[in-house]
Structure formats: C-alpha cells, structure tokens
Amino acid sequence: MLLKTPPMGFNTWNSFGENISADLLKETADAMVDQGLAAAGYEYIVIDDCWAERERDPKTGKIIPDHNKFPKGMKDLSDYIHAKGLKFGMYSCCGVRTCANYPGSFNHEFLDAQTFAEYGCDYLKYDDCFRPGTVDTVVLYRRMGMALKACGRDIVYSICHADRDKDGEWSRAIGGSLWRSTNDIHDSYESFMNIAVSQLNNYCYNYPGCFNDMDMLTVGMYGGGDNVHVRTTTGCNDEEYKSQFALWCLFGSPLMLGCDVRKLRPAARDLLTNKDLIAIDQDPEARGIIDVSCFKEDKYRLSVMRHLSNNKIAIGLFNKNGEPERDVQLLLSNCGLPMSGGYGLKMREIFSGEETGIIKDYFVTKIPHHGCKVYIAEVVKC
Ligand code: GLA
C-alpha cells in the first residue's frame, strides 16, 4: 500500500499561486528540514498549478516546465528535494487545460505520467477543469490511474475533484491515495469550519490507502501570501489556527501545509509539529469521525470523537460562535456510554496537559471564541 496514513507535506498553491520557482521550492525544502517540519513527518513538497509553459512542445507533445521559473528543469529540482530526504510532487488536470489555464493531461495521460516519472515525481495532484463535457469524469480519473501504474514509479495519486461525483465511492478503487472532498479553502475561520462540518457524513470514505482530503491547510498564513483566491484580509488568529489543525487531525485529513514555511512564526510551528495532534491524524487504524454534538447543525458548538488504536479515543470540543468564551458539553451517552451505566471517560487535554479525572454521564468546559479543546480519552469503570 502506497499510503498507510494520510500524506503530510507542503503545497505551493495557498501562499504562492502562480508565483512559483525552483528557488522558492528549494528554499522551502531547506525550511522544511530546518524548522523541524520534516522531522515531524511532513515529507511531500508539491508544486501546484502554473509550473508549465502555456503550450506543449509541438514536436514531442510533452508538457514543458516554464523556462523562467524552472531554468534547470524539474529533474534538477526533484534531485534537490530528494537529497534533503523529502519527496517531490506535481500537479495536472484531467481536462484540456489546468484550472489556471496551462496544458492539461486530457488525451496525454500516459505521456504525462511517463514525463512525471522521468522528473522523479512521487505524488500527482490531479485536478478537474476544462474537461470536455461529453467525457465521463470517472473514466478520465481511471485513465490517469492506469497511466500512473504503467509509468514505472510509485506515484501517490491525489484526486482533486471536489466530490462532484460521490468521489469517495470510487477513488480508492481506481488507484487513488487521497480524494479532495471540498471546494477551495480560504484563510478564514468560516471557510475551514464549513469544510469540516461538510465532511461529518463522509466518515465512511476515509480508510488506509485512500484518505478524505479536506484541502491544504492555511495555518500560519495570517492573511498573507500572494494568492488572492485563498488570501483574506486578516486571515485567522492563533486560536483559530489551533481549531483548524485540530479539525484536520481529528478528521484524519492529509496535512498539506499551505503557508510560507520559510517565514513560519513560532506559534504556527509549535502547532504544526504538535506530536499528539499528528499522532491522532496518523493513527494506523484511520477510522472516521463521529459527530457527538448535543444538537445537530448547532451554530455554536461542535463535539466530535474518533476511535484510535490501543483502545484510545480522541475527542474534540469546539466553540464555533460565542464571545469571549462558551460552555461546550460532551454527553457521554452520545459517545455510546449508557447513562449511569458504570463506565466513564478519563481524559487528558492535549494543549494544556490538564487531566479531567473520571467523568460520568456528561462533561462541560469553557472554550474561548473560535477555540477548541482536544482530549485523548479512555473508557474506565466507575
Ligand atoms: C483548483 C484546486 C486548487 C488549486 C487550483 C489551481 O481550484 O482546487 O487546490 O490546485 O485549482 O489552479
């Protein structure tokens, strides 16, 4: 199996859009190692859209890397990234053009997969724009799945189709390693919370080998970056980024960094390398999330739980709306424990280290506006 746990890495899109270059990617690879991100498990450096010349080579039909952005070509860059102990990812589209209007792989799937393999590519994000309406999408995604199998190299297949065709149902079968389940993220609380809530019913489509991809993280952007499609005026604050990272880890999403890791602030670095959260994300059983909120579609609170290996349980409590703080409840019967049934939970909050002792029937805690608490819990007799 190519991926036993969700992939972790960096993607250029959120912060850089079309302003990418070999120098930027090399500096990013350096920073991934120097900032301790590589040691924390982030390994894929993925170039998103806008890396190619506007037209294919008329003689060979091959896509050509942009001469100004990548003057020494892609193999030079992938060698640099591999020498750092990291892996190299690329981007293409199943349509005739990519979403930013560069050549897409439609009818060139096998040639392109071969070209990516020659570059030393380990990961392909495959998007869906400019697709001829007469062609079935799933067939096109299958086609690239076959092309990757034939290219002679293990390449993680990242399906990016925003769940337009119940993608969770077919992505694994056609060779996908992850499938994008949402529209594009913006650097705001509303954007990432909406994404998470929209995935509460997709819990059955997250499994070892093929993961539900909730999009690249905006943690650490703080309203910066060159990409007007993702950037917002103020971005998020640290409390909000804590919630975003906790949600991605609790839901078991791929963790692809979207901030400029060369300029990572210490608070964002500490968060993104939080061992407990990463261990939840990377839990080998890769089980889905369960909504245990007291009220469905509650505008103010969200409570979720997830089974982990070794009889542990992760619990996340979120204050979606309530200044300066709000009580958020966990009703143990929603988690499957009977009221006064002789079993409770013993929990440790991972940011504060605070231990709850044994809780029975219900638990209430104060959480700051847009903040969260995340617990590692075990079921105990009481
Ligand atoms: C789509 C994808 C984004 C990004 C852009 C690039 O919008 O969803 O993640 O890859 O295309 O053009």
Side-chain angles (χ1 to χ4, degrees):
M1 193 187 298
L2 217 45
L3 286 185
K4 290 191 178 138
T5 58
M8 297 171 63
F10 163 86
N11 175 299
T12 52
W13 181 251
N14 281 1
S15 282
F16 301 102
E18 62 180 0
N19 292 335
I20 51 175
S21 67
D23 287 347
L24 166 72
L25 270 299
K26 288 180 180 177
E27 286 164 22
T28 299
D30 293 346
M32 295 290 279
V33 175
D34 299 345
Q35 300 267 15
L37 294 163
Y42 297 91
E43 56 176 342
Y44 292 94
I45 307 268
V46 180
I47 307 183
D48 209 280
D49 207 347
C50 314
W51 59 268
E53 291 286 345
R54 291 281 179 186
E55 301 303 332
R56 289 175 178 269
D57 184 319
K59 286 202 193 97
T60 63
K62 282 186 161 187
I63 305 194
I64 322 164
D66 184 306
H67 287 107
N68 295 319
K69 295 174 180 173
F70 301 97
K72 294 187 186 161
M74 287 304 179
K75 184 69 172 58
D76 172 77
L77 177 57
S78 92
D79 285 348
Y80 187 93
I81 288 172
H82 287 139
K84 291 259 153 191
L86 299 166
K87 293 181 176 160
F88 176 58
M90 300 220 52
Y91 168 99
S92 190
C93 230
C94 69
V96 292
R97 305 292 287 174
T98 69
C99 299
N101 197 16
Y102 292 81
S105 290
F106 180 71
N107 271 353
H108 294 82
E109 292 85 356
F110 284 72
L111 176 63
D112 288 355
Q114 193 60 51
T115 307
F116 298 147
E118 284 162 15
Y119 292 161
C121 175
D122 307 297
Y123 182 115
L124 177 68
K125 173 173 170 183
Y126 204 49
D127 215 332
D128 174 24
C129 280
F130 292 97
R131 173 174 35 87
T134 47
V135 190
D136 182 59
T137 330
V138 184
V139 169
L140 287 186
Y141 275 96
R142 271 194 213 169
R143 207 188 271 176
M144 184 48 95
M146 295 301 257
L148 291 174
K149 287 286 173 199
C151 81
R153 201 176 158 86
D154 278 344
I155 298 185
V156 166
Y157 186 18
S158 163
I159 292 169
C160 180
H161 178 56
D163 202 8
R164 292 188 195 105
D165 285 300
K166 298 190 175 167
D167 305 356
E169 292 183 359
W170 49 264
S171 292
R172 189 169 198 265
I174 61 137
S177 299
L178 55 156
W179 62 280
R180 240 298 273 291
S181 50
T182 69
N183 286 322
D184 291 5
I185 198 167
H186 304 278
D187 190 16
S188 75
Y189 184 84
E190 288 66 32
S191 170
F192 74 73
M193 186 46 93
N194 285 340
I195 284 180
V197 169
S198 75
Q199 293 315 300
L200 286 168
N201 290 328
N202 263 335
Y203 57 87
C204 46
Y205 302 121
N206 208 15
Y207 19 50
C210 192
F211 300 94
N212 176 349
D213 172 10
M214 306 207 307
D215 204 356
M216 287 88 70
L217 295 154
T218 65
V219 175
M221 288 180 68
Y222 299 101
D226 291 339
N227 190 344
V228 290
H229 302 294
V230 179
R231 191 178 66 202
T232 57
T233 321
T234 54
C236 299
N237 60 36
D238 284 326
E239 201 60 47
E240 295 171 330
Y241 284 139
K242 222 166 92 175
S243 293
Q244 181 183 141
F245 195 57
L247 286 165
W248 263 232
C249 291
L250 284 161
F251 279 65
S253 174
L255 300 177
M256 302 302 287
L257 307 175
C259 63
D260 185 346
V261 296
R262 301 168 306 167
K263 299 177 186 157
L264 200 55
R265 294 190 198 169
R269 187 188 54 228
D270 291 351
L271 176 63
L272 293 169
T273 55
N274 183 298
K275 286 198 165 65
D276 285 320
L277 283 177
I278 291 177
I280 293 174
D281 182 74
Q282 298 286 303
D283 189 80
E285 292 191 4
R287 294 189 187 274
I289 198 78
I290 305 174
D291 184 1
V292 292
S293 306
C294 290
F295 303 103
K296 293 292 164 207
E297 292 165 28
D298 187 339
K299 280 197 304 217
Y300 305 105
R301 308 168 195 83
L302 174 70
S303 307
V304 291
M305 70 167 263
R306 169 159 163 219
H307 282 287
L308 303 175
S309 46
N310 300 320
N311 287 332
K312 296 279 193 295
I313 294 163
I315 287 176
L317 305 179
F318 295 82
N319 171 0
K320 286 159 67 177
N321 188 355
E323 305 244 24
E325 57 182 20
R326 160 181 301 285
D327 280 342
V328 181
Q329 300 82 3
L330 179 69
L331 209 53
L332 270 57
S333 68
N334 287 350
C335 303
L337 294 174
M339 291 292 279
S340 308
Y343 287 87
L345 291 178
K346 216 171 125 189
M347 317 206 292
R348 173 178 63 88
E349 208 280 321
I350 66 170
F351 292 110
S352 61
E354 192 186 319
E355 301 200 351
T356 59
I358 297 173
I359 54 167
K360 291 187 252 179
D361 296 342
Y362 69 90
F363 174 71
V364 185
T365 186
K366 291 204 182 306
I367 298 187
H369 181 62
H370 284 181
C372 69
K373 289 188 179 174
V374 179
Y375 298 87
I376 303 291
E378 45 188 309
V379 181
V380 288
K381 273 198 156 179
C382 55

